[in-house]
Amino acid sequence: MSRRSLHVVQPRSCGDCSACCTAMRIDAISKPRDVPCAHLAARGCGIYATRPDECRTFRCAWLMATETRDVWTGASRPDRLGAVAWYEETRFGPSLVVQEMREGALETAAVRSIVRELVQRVSAVVTRDMRGRELVSLPRAEKRNGE
């Protein structure tokens, strides 16, 4: 009888990262996207205990990574990567949204590698730069036999 080992994935925590506090739009406190939250303090959220549900339930792709830990390494934590990513339903279906947080981050090898790897696992990857421009990457269509 062979024994199979289980791969245990340790849960991640945000640590010092607060990229989502700028990237996210939070309707409950009228916070627009790409603007630092007025409640962001030196050591995280100043209203953590009473933060809106949108904040309480948000999980970036790095934090959620289980099967994709090979893609979302420790170096790709949003504050280190310069971009925060999350999964969202878009007009293309279930998509990965990658929001640039540091000028030029979308052009780095690390972000390009993540997009290239994950575009085949979702309906689309939507990248947004700091100027608000969006680029949509769609998975390559699989070739049929004889094509």
Side-chain angles (χ1 to χ4, degrees), residues 18-40:
S18 60
C20 63
C21 300
T22 297
M24 293 174 52
R25 184 180 88 208
I26 308 296
D27 294 331
I29 56 174
S30 302
K31 184 205 144 327
R33 188 175 71 199
D34 301 332
V35 174
C37 182
H39 302 288
L40 184 58

Side-chain angles (χ1 to χ4, degrees), residues 6-147:
L6 294 176
H7 176 70
V8 177
V9 176
Q10 295 297 319
R12 289 180 164 172
S13 66
C14 300
D16 294 333
C17 184
S18 60
C20 63
C21 300
T22 297
M24 293 174 52
R25 184 180 88 208
I26 308 296
D27 294 331
I29 56 174
S30 302
K31 184 205 144 327
R33 188 175 71 199
D34 301 332
V35 174
C37 182
H39 302 288
L40 184 58
R43 307 241 345 123
C45 181
I47 59 167
Y48 188 81
T50 60
R51 68 196 185 281
D53 285 342
E54 293 159 284
C55 301
R56 193 175 302 280
T57 60
F58 179 81
R59 298 291 179 269
C60 73
W62 180 85
L63 201 58
M64 288 178 44
T66 54
E67 294 107 29
T68 56
R69 283 277 169 107
D70 57 320
V71 177
W72 297 108
T73 65
S76 62
R77 192 175 80 177
D79 58 333
R80 296 174 185 146
L81 188 64
V84 62
W86 62 91
Y87 296 97
E88 174 179 303
E89 189 71 28
T90 69
R91 66 184 182 272
F92 305 103
S95 303
L96 178 71
V97 177
V98 182
Q99 175 67 47
E100 184 177 58
M101 303 302 298
R102 186 171 52 242
E103 188 77 36
L106 294 180
E107 302 303 318
T108 64
V111 172
R112 286 177 180 250
S113 175
I114 289 168
V115 170
R116 191 170 42 253
E117 179 66 30
L118 294 179
V119 73
Q120 297 303 319
R121 302 182 194 188
V122 293
S123 298
V125 175
V126 179
T127 54
R128 297 180 183 140
D129 69 14
M130 292 184 71
R131 295 183 185 100
R133 296 179 297 196
E134 287 189 355
L135 175 67
V136 177
S137 301
L138 301 172
R140 292 183 193 168
E142 293 193 26
K143 293 185 178 183
R144 294 186 213 153
N145 290 335
E147 288 185 16

